[in-house]
Amino acid sequence: MNAIATGHEDLIHDIAYDHYGRLLATCSSDQFIKLFTRVVPSAEWTLLSSFKAHDANIFSLSFAPPQYGLLLASCSEDQTVRVHSSIDNGQTFTKIATLSDSGGPVHQVAFAKFSGHGLKLACIGADGVVRVYHAADPADLRQWHLAFEKVVDKDGLLSTGVAARDLQGDFAVDWCPSGTVRASWFTDGLGIDMDDVELPRVDRLSITELAVEQFVASSMSKVVVFRKRLNGGIYEYEPTEELPGHTDIVRDIAWASNAGVGGRYELIATACKDGWVRIFKLTSRRMGVRATEFRNGASGNSEKLADEDDLGYEVELLDQFDHHKSEVWKVSWNFSGTVLSSSGDDGRVRFWRAAYTGKFVGLGVASAEQGSNDEMDE
Amino acid sequence: MSGAGPTSFSPSFGGPRPIFSKVKEPMGTPAKASRSTTLLFTSPLATGRTTTVDNIRGTSEDEEEVKDDDDTVFTYTLQDAPIAAGRLRDWQDRKRTLKFRLPPLYNNGIAWIDGKKLDGGDQVPIVPEEMKIFPTEIPDSAFSDEYTKFVIDSHELYRALSDADQIGEPMDPSENILPKYATTFLQILDAARRRIFDERLSEAYVVCHCLFASYFADPGITRAEAIMDWLNQYDPRPTTEETRDIMTTPVPYDEPGFWELVQKLALRGLFFQCSNCLKEAGIPYIDPESNRALQTATSILETAPKGAKAFEGHRQWRARAIAFGEKCAKLSDVKLRRGLIALANILRGDSDTILALSESWQEATASLFLFHDPAPSRLSEYYQMAVAEFPVDLTVISEAGCAAVIAGDIPKALSVAERLDVCVAAHIADFCDRQRMLDEFYNVDTLELPPFRDWLFMAHAINCCANPGTWLVGAAYLKDTEGIEGLSIIRESITHVYLDTEATLTELLDLCKELQFDSEARQIVMAWSKLQLSRNQVGSAIEWLDYIGNSLEIRAITWQLLESHLLKGLTLPDAILQRYLLSPHLCPAMIREFIAPYATYFAFKIHLNEGDIVEAAQYLASLIQFAFLPDRFFGALLGELLPLLDRSQPRALPTSELIAIMNSLYQWEKDSRKYTEGIQFLAKSLSVTREAADMAEDDWRVEYANVSAKEVIKLVRSKLVTEVSRAYLEGV
């Protein structure tokens, strides 16, 4: 497919797809957001609409899940997050909310894919603070309240320094996209074969289903997982795990769907200025406990699991790649968490796929440099 | 995915992709790989080489092993690639970087160029390429139309086989249905590769053909014959041209390559062709012994045992060949003697001769297997002898795959096939699984991993799910896999399937019901109702919300409708909603309850339009006094009262209603928040009138368009008082 001239008059900083991948939004320093629609079956993109959305560079975009209608959030150097709504399939957008709690440019915004009730949106800006907003009434998405804000540091300390104002990509946030299937918590570690468990297969999903609100945020070189936990009778997001080993600024983070591994563990990828793509494996420490309970005949009460038994994740560096040999700026996953893409200063998009053992191996390279076919890697 | 074909690559690529051996870029070696190698499958090779989990994933350090191309991958150039060849450094000096994001379900994402600095500092002028986006596909994942047909055909065959095959039941060889289905699959694959012209799919065909020949051959022929048949199709020798060049000469026997041709035909088990060559070669009469020897040679060739009788007759036939060779040694003519002895040596399975005359390990293995002893247990021995003489070219993936097949290393063969085409690999694995050929592969070390067959099907299904038109095929495969991964992937992807029609919606909801995906069903219905709303199909949206019991959303829609009509004037509802508004008894209970406020407003408007102002006023009065009316609507609804409080027409409201409305108005004005919200909305409503060019003449706002919202409320209050006094004066 040919390259598409977007009509932007400045650099493009981010793109976002709607839930179906049928709409594409782009944002730019020209302060405009443009909407493109995928032509079926040719799969080409055509411009649908364009609107001025901010008063400064727009850094990031995110579409809300479709059950909330066509809702697009954007964040900008103008220190705001704005929520735009369309009631005509993207032909026009109306700004329905402006969130302006950030003390600096807002670098990334992300709607939650799953949340307890209502709609949630996380953002992070140059102040290094991650914020979560909540629209409690799905029928009135004009009303958002700040539900959480915290400096991205596991210890709650602003130890990461102050970001340069003219640099981008120093902060990132991404929600866990999965409906968090935790069936393996019952069996992993004990070698229990699910086939020996006298339950219909579909029930194995439902009895262990557990919705946990969690996201990962990065500020400079610090990457921290936040999870909603019951603390003193109140549900709160708490920094729970840190993803270690980054020796420079983390440019992007992406939380994979756990579908491809049947919910046995979570995968989070990071793109780092130090030239490495890292894939972290987060395995629940709870699984051994749950397996014991299951063997002893416990019923699998998901509420109890969620509230009291959160023992956190065992964080492990599953794989890391330095094939870009330069700064890595973006990582993203496919829908099943089995293909990862990374891109960066080498002008290449690299694809990685999960092999049989769960480790990742190279799948292919797309080069933005002409005549790169069959070229040796640098 | 082989189906991607040339369409998935840039024009500069210029045609089908090269064979896998062309790969260059090293990738995939984990910097911190924990190389715990677990033995999973012992191959029948004499060397005792084994297939391990690491071999399957392709990180074996054994240089002798089939080199896994996970270490080297394709590079392709983006269409309209923005960086000039060799100018990467210049591009980097512009403080630019490449970004890319994958879409939620499909396999083609978008790449774009971004600056590393946001503003100022560098002052690098923007060039047009930096304002473009570049569609970029995940390598090997996009289906062309032709490949989609192959995927669907393969799936239909898989379904038919699943229906016919009793999985888990030991196969009675005489009732084994797998060869028949394997032949059909091979035909489907062959047709696809001919349509698609993709080298990797063709290579996958070679591996598949080799494996099916080795393990799923027609029971009417031996494995040795099947493998030789495979070789003769895969690498036909001698070629038609070679045969013609010699056999069309006046005296073929005099041609230097004659005996070479005869030996090659024999080596390839082409007995009748070989016999015909001898008969038609113009070999001159030398003496009776030579003549008899020639007759014996053609007789042996034409009576080579075949099929079911091959095992029984082979030993006897081979003895004839040995005896024939001994007789040939006594022939007087040197040329004939040498030629016939070599032929006899081939037919008796002499390994030195066969290895000397063969040109590849495949040919040597197949010939040794056919002539020496066709017992399957000997195959690995022949393979070892052959590869000692002709090493396997590991840079040709299909050759590596066939080597694994012949060596009996099925998991390795499957992993090689997977790199060529995961759809083909998955179906081969399915056949192997049904034949219990993978049982040894599943053991205690693979407990935490899905069965390899399932993993291949999941990989294929993920591709199916990411391509338009094959999501249901992918879901069907995933349902058939063990463990929860398959269901998890369906669950993850099902809400991403675009709801283009109600038929799609119904299909997805049926699947959700079957798999008890209640939460996903609700999400899908919610998304569909939002889509219906955006298409102005409000009635349909409400019906689907009723289906999932979402009263909150119905109520929200009700108020949105009221808001829209208060601002823009009444528009005719869609047919379904109109039916419910006009015939409430047809309305499901929940819908009736929650659309009541809007239905009341609708009834008010209908009666007003019909001139029945008393009836209209009662509907409006009840709505104004509705306890759960959102505060913002209060002012605008009061405004709607104005035409009803006109003294020039009969009084529309009884005193009690007038007083009740005045009381509501008083309460509303007392609460500053409620009052502000109501006034703001009323003001907005009036401004819409001022800006609208086509406002209905009977809209109350037309007369008051230039009056402020507060003045309107004052006017309503004043008219209400007047109406109360009028009622008093009229004594009612």
Side-chain angles (χ1 to χ4, degrees):
Chain A
M1 280 176 285
N2 296 329
I4 300 156
T6 60
H8 281 298
E9 294 176 357
D10 209 328
L11 288 173
I12 299 163
H13 296 311
D14 196 17
I15 67 148
Y17 306 92
D18 77 334
H19 185 77
Y20 301 107
R22 300 274 293 232
L23 287 175
L24 170 74
T26 60
C27 64
S28 163
S29 278
D30 67 5
Q31 307 175 9
F32 274 73
I33 291 174
K34 291 181 187 290
L35 259 288
F36 297 83
T37 183
R38 185 191 288 263
V39 180
V40 176
S42 69
E44 290 178 355
W45 295 97
T46 58
L47 185 66
L48 183 64
S49 59
S50 174
F51 61 100
K52 185 175 183 296
H54 284 270
D55 301 318
N57 299 334
I58 307 173
F59 292 150
S60 170
L61 296 168
S62 177
F63 277 100
Q67 55 266 39
Y68 300 98
L70 188 51
L71 217 61
L72 177 65
S74 58
C75 64
S76 164
E77 193 176 18
D78 66 11
Q79 308 191 2
T80 66
V81 172
R82 295 183 184 180
V83 183
H84 317 272
S85 170
S86 172
I87 56 168
D88 53 10
N89 288 321
Q91 293 180 53
T92 57
F93 276 84
T94 307
K95 184 186 74 182
I96 59 168
T98 301
L99 314 172
S100 48
D101 298 283
S102 177
V106 189
H107 283 252
Q108 199 158 20
V109 63
F111 276 113
K113 280 80 173 179
F114 290 89
S115 52
H117 57 86
L119 178 59
K120 294 193 174 75
L121 176 156
C123 64
I124 187 164
D127 55 1
V129 176
V130 62
R131 293 180 173 83
V132 176
Y133 292 92
H134 185 202
D137 181 3
D140 186 6
L141 295 170
R142 287 171 287 210
Q143 307 300 323
W144 293 81
H145 79 271
L146 183 61
F148 172 77
E149 61 179 334
K150 197 170 187 73
V151 173
V152 177
D153 189 299
K154 193 171 184 300
D155 305 318
L157 301 171
L158 187 61
S159 59
T160 52
V162 178
R165 189 178 166 82
D166 65 337
L167 288 175
Q168 68 156 314
D170 298 352
F171 310 91
V173 64
D174 196 24
W175 290 87
C176 171
S178 300
T180 56
V181 177
R182 296 277 184 264
S184 59
W185 286 355
F186 287 92
T187 56
D188 283 1
L190 288 183
I192 297 172
D193 187 346
M194 270 308 210
D195 290 337
D196 297 335
V197 181
E198 290 183 3
L199 283 171
R201 189 162 59 132
V202 287
D203 286 351
R204 290 180 213 156
L205 287 176
S206 55
I207 61 162
T208 58
E209 192 178 17
L210 178 64
V212 179
E213 284 182 44
Q214 50 192 348
F215 61 86
V216 60
S218 69
S219 172
M220 307 300 278
S221 62
K222 184 77 81 178
V223 184
V224 179
V225 171
F226 289 81
R227 190 160 51 257
K228 201 167 198 180
R229 299 203 291 193
L230 190 62
N231 189 357
I234 301 169
Y235 281 103
E236 281 184 338
Y237 294 103
E238 289 181 1
T240 49
E241 291 86 17
E242 185 173 343
L243 310 188
H246 301 96
T247 58
D248 211 325
I249 295 168
V250 173
R251 297 299 193 191
D252 195 24
I253 45 182
W255 196 316
S257 156
N258 62 22
V261 294
R264 291 196 304 274
Y265 50 83
E266 303 289 338
L267 292 173
I268 295 174
T270 61
C272 190
K273 190 180 176 184
D274 64 11
W276 289 88
V277 176
R278 293 179 174 86
I279 303 173
F280 292 90
K281 178 180 177 182
L282 283 72
T283 310
S284 172
R285 291 196 186 99
R286 176 167 30 178
M287 64 184 183
V289 175
R290 299 312 304 157
T292 306
E293 289 184 11
F294 181 71
R295 199 161 54 178
N296 293 339
S299 63
N301 182 320
S302 63
E303 279 303 309
K304 183 172 181 295
L305 272 173
D307 296 351
E308 298 168 11
D309 291 349
D310 186 355
L311 304 178
Y313 287 118
E314 193 73 48
V315 178
E316 170 194 349
L317 182 63
L318 179 68
D319 276 311
Q320 59 178 351
F321 307 105
D322 68 344
H323 294 72
H324 287 281
K325 306 293 181 199
S326 57
E327 285 188 49
V328 191
W329 281 80
K330 212 80 185 163
V331 279
S332 71
W333 293 96
N334 73 336
F335 74 95
S336 55
T338 51
V339 174
L340 171 72
S341 70
S342 61
S343 56
D345 286 359
D346 62 345
R348 282 159 168 74
V349 183
R350 292 174 187 272
F351 296 93
W352 316 88
R353 71 181 174 101
Y356 180 52
T357 55
K359 301 282 268 184
F360 280 76
V361 293
L363 172 61
V365 179
S367 173
E369 184 181 5
Q370 293 163 12
S372 298
N373 293 338
D374 307 328
E375 186 185 81
M376 288 291 285
D377 197 22
E378 296 87 356
Chain B
M1 183 53 48
S2 301
T7 56
S8 57
F9 296 87
S10 67
S12 61
F13 192 78
R17 284 170 288 178
I19 296 179
F20 222 56
S21 55
K22 299 288 186 189
V23 296
K24 300 292 184 189
E25 290 215 9
M27 281 185 75
T29 307
K32 198 188 148 195
S34 58
R35 294 182 182 270
S36 57
T37 301
T38 313
L39 300 183
L40 293 178
F41 183 86
T42 305
S43 86
L45 300 184
T47 54
R49 275 192 273 170
T50 55
T51 291
T52 67
V53 170
D54 269 4
N55 290 157
I56 293 297
R57 77 177 289 273
T59 57
S60 169
E61 291 176 307
D62 182 357
E63 292 301 319
E64 290 297 307
E65 282 287 344
V66 173
K67 180 159 169 49
D68 194 314
D69 280 83
D70 285 336
D71 286 343
T72 49
V73 294
F74 283 117
T75 296
Y76 72 95
T77 306
L78 294 180
Q79 194 98 316
D80 302 329
I83 306 170
R87 306 298 294 272
L88 180 65
R89 182 68 63 191
D90 295 342
W91 178 78
Q92 288 169 333
D93 288 345
R94 289 169 53 79
K95 304 292 180 199
R96 300 295 190 244
T97 190
L98 188 70
K99 293 185 175 178
F100 173 81
R101 201 184 281 277
L102 281 165
L105 186 61
Y106 298 132
N107 46 32
N108 45 3
I110 294 287
W112 74 98
I113 294 170
D114 196 0
K116 295 164 74 171
K117 290 196 167 192
L118 289 173
D119 53 7
D122 50 1
Q123 298 294 325
V124 179
I126 310 289
V127 297
E129 282 69 28
E130 293 167 348
M131 293 175 285
K132 289 179 180 173
I133 50 176
F134 301 87
T136 308
E137 281 177 348
I138 298 176
D140 303 337
S141 64
F143 293 177
S144 64
D145 290 346
E146 292 294 344
Y147 192 81
T148 299
K149 177 174 170 22
F150 166 61
V151 167
I152 291 169
D153 290 348
S154 304
H155 180 250
E156 283 174 2
L157 182 74
Y158 165 82
R159 287 258 74 89
L161 173 58
S162 298
D163 291 343
D165 184 26
Q166 298 297 311
I167 298 174
E169 293 295 319
M171 289 283 184
D172 177 342
S174 64
E175 295 174 1
N176 192 347
I177 57 171
L178 294 179
K180 187 181 88 175
Y181 282 89
T183 303
T184 309
F185 179 75
L186 207 57
Q187 287 165 351
I188 291 170
L189 175 56
D190 190 27
R193 74 176 178 120
R194 290 174 193 279
R195 286 195 310 267
I196 297 171
F197 301 113
D198 184 87
E199 289 198 44
R200 271 207 266 176
L201 192 61
S202 290
E203 286 206 75
Y205 171 79
V206 170
V207 177
C208 180
H209 193 174
C210 179
L211 191 140
F212 283 2
S214 301
Y215 296 97
F216 300 96
D218 185 322
I221 62 171
T222 65
R223 196 167 161 192
E225 288 171 297
I227 289 175
M228 188 58 88
D229 284 350
W230 159 73
L231 177 63
N232 284 330
Q233 288 186 45
Y234 161 60
D235 181 25
R237 296 288 173 85
T239 63
T240 310
E241 291 75 23
E242 287 167 346
T243 308
R244 192 178 53 216
D245 287 349
I246 290 172
M247 294 309 294
T248 54
T249 57
V251 184
Y253 181 65
D254 290 341
E255 294 298 312
F258 173 74
W259 282 112
E260 202 177 312
L261 174 69
V262 169
Q263 287 152 10
K264 184 62 76 177
L265 287 167
L267 207 60
R268 290 302 187 99
L270 301 168
F271 300 119
F272 277 93
Q273 292 92 320
C274 187
S275 171
N276 284 338
C277 276
L278 288 175
K279 285 177 182 171
E280 295 171 18
I283 301 173
Y285 181 85
I286 301 165
D287 53 43
E289 283 74 27
S290 299
N291 201 33
R292 270 198 296 275
L294 273 172
Q295 286 175 357
T296 306
T298 54
S299 168
I300 291 173
L301 286 166
E302 289 169 11
T303 57
K306 283 185 175 294
K309 293 179 181 171
F311 282 118
E312 300 163 17
H314 182 265
R315 192 177 293 272
Q316 197 180 350
W317 183 79
R318 187 165 175 247
R320 276 187 75 197
I322 292 169
F324 168 65
E326 287 167 357
K327 281 186 181 171
C328 288
K330 296 170 188 166
L331 293 177
S332 58
D333 185 84
V334 176
K335 183 180 172 188
L336 187 65
R337 186 174 69 229
R338 282 182 182 165
L340 290 180
I341 286 175
L343 177 64
N345 284 342
I346 292 170
L347 300 182
R348 74 184 176 88
D350 178 66
S351 55
D352 289 339
T353 305
I354 288 174
L355 288 169
L357 295 175
S358 293
E359 294 174 85
S360 67
W361 65 265
Q362 296 97 322
E363 192 171 55
T365 306
S367 296
L368 286 167
F369 195 24
L370 187 68
F371 295 114
H372 194 269
D373 178 0
S377 59
R378 304 288 301 270
L379 180 59
S380 61
E381 179 191 332
Y382 303 142
Y383 169 76
Q384 286 304 315
M385 291 166 70
V387 296
E389 195 73 22
F390 306 100
V392 178
D393 183 354
L394 297 176
T395 63
V396 179
I397 285 283
S398 57
E399 191 170 328
C402 293
V405 170
I406 300 296
D409 194 343
I410 302 306
K412 170 57 78 181
L414 292 176
S415 81
V416 171
E418 183 246 334
R419 291 203 301 275
L420 291 169
D421 187 286
V422 72
C423 173
V424 174
H427 285 94
I428 297 174
D430 185 48
F431 280 96
C432 294
D433 195 52
R434 291 175 194 275
Q435 189 106 305
R436 299 284 187 85
M437 290 162 61
L438 298 174
D439 284 0
E440 286 181 65
F441 182 65
Y442 306 140
N443 54 37
V444 69
D445 297 314
T446 60
L447 260 184
E448 292 188 2
L449 300 171
F452 193 47
R453 168 225 182 245
D454 284 9
W455 184 81
L456 288 169
F457 266 127
M458 277 190 282
H460 174 46
I462 286 169
N463 280 338
C464 290
C465 289
N467 278 276
T470 47
W471 188 87
L472 283 172
V473 171
Y477 281 125
L478 291 167
K479 275 198 297 183
D480 282 359
T481 57
E482 291 178 20
I484 60 169
E485 287 86 353
L487 292 182
S488 299
I489 294 168
I490 297 176
R491 177 175 275 218
E492 185 69 41
S493 61
I494 193 168
T495 67
H496 289 288
V497 178
Y498 184 64
L499 303 166
D500 49 354
T501 64
E502 198 156 308
T504 305
L505 172 75
T506 307
E507 279 177 339
L508 297 183
L509 292 180
D510 286 347
L511 189 59
C512 284
K513 190 174 180 183
E514 179 190 341
L515 300 177
Q516 299 176 24
F517 289 172
D518 297 339
S519 168
E520 284 69 24
R522 286 179 62 84
Q523 286 178 48
I524 289 167
V525 170
M526 276 295 295
W528 174 255
S529 71
K530 291 286 182 186
L531 272 173
Q532 290 295 81
L533 280 178
S534 70
R535 295 165 180 154
N536 286 322
Q537 298 297 316
V538 180
S540 165
I542 287 177
E543 280 185 333
W544 280 104
L545 289 168
D546 178 58
Y547 174 76
I548 56 168
N550 193 334
S551 58
L552 281 177
E553 198 65 29
I554 296 175
R555 190 170 63 189
I557 290 172
T558 297
W559 295 128
Q560 282 164 11
L561 283 172
L562 184 60
E563 176 171 331
S564 171
H565 291 177
L566 286 172
L567 290 174
K568 298 173 187 167
L570 187 69
T571 52
L572 205 59
D574 62 81
I576 296 173
L577 185 57
Q578 211 175 125
R579 192 171 73 240
Y580 287 153
L581 293 172
L582 297 175
S583 311
H585 61 282
L586 297 176
C587 220
M590 191 171 79
I591 295 179
R592 188 164 62 235
E593 181 182 345
F594 285 95
I595 67 165
Y598 174 68
T600 305
Y601 180 79
F602 185 76
F604 153 66
K605 282 291 189 184
I606 294 294
H607 286 293
L608 191 65
N609 287 345
E610 290 171 354
D612 184 358
I613 62 163
V614 174
E615 196 74 13
Q618 282 181 353
Y619 277 108
L620 182 58
S622 60
L623 187 56
I624 287 171
Q625 294 169 71
F626 182 51
F628 301 104
L629 180 74
D631 301 319
R632 65 181 185 281
F633 298 145
F634 195 82
L637 287 174
L638 284 177
E640 298 269 12
L641 268 177
L642 285 172
L644 304 175
L645 304 177
D646 187 349
R647 292 201 67 173
S648 65
Q649 59 191 15
R651 195 154 46 82
L653 288 165
T655 313
S656 58
E657 289 284 16
L658 290 167
I659 291 172
I661 291 171
M662 288 174 73
N663 187 41
S664 297
L665 173 56
Y666 173 70
Q667 296 297 331
W668 175 66
E669 285 180 320
K670 249 190 2 181
D671 187 320
S672 62
R673 184 190 60 79
K674 290 180 180 178
Y675 178 74
T676 306
E677 276 186 26
I679 287 294
Q680 283 175 348
F681 186 84
L682 176 57
K684 189 176 174 185
S685 168
L686 292 166
S687 72
V688 168
T689 315
R690 284 192 290 275
E691 291 159 12
D694 55 347
M695 189 60 69
E697 281 182 15
D698 58 351
D699 191 298
W700 71 273
R701 293 172 293 175
V702 173
E703 192 178 338
Y704 303 95
N706 295 316
V707 180
S708 74
K710 287 183 179 175
E711 285 299 319
V712 167
I713 297 301
K714 271 187 196 172
L715 197 59
V716 171
R717 195 192 304 114
S718 160
K719 286 206 171 196
L720 280 170
V721 171
T722 308
E723 280 296 281
V724 171
S725 63
R726 179 181 169 195
Y728 179 75
L729 290 172
E730 290 173 358
V732 181

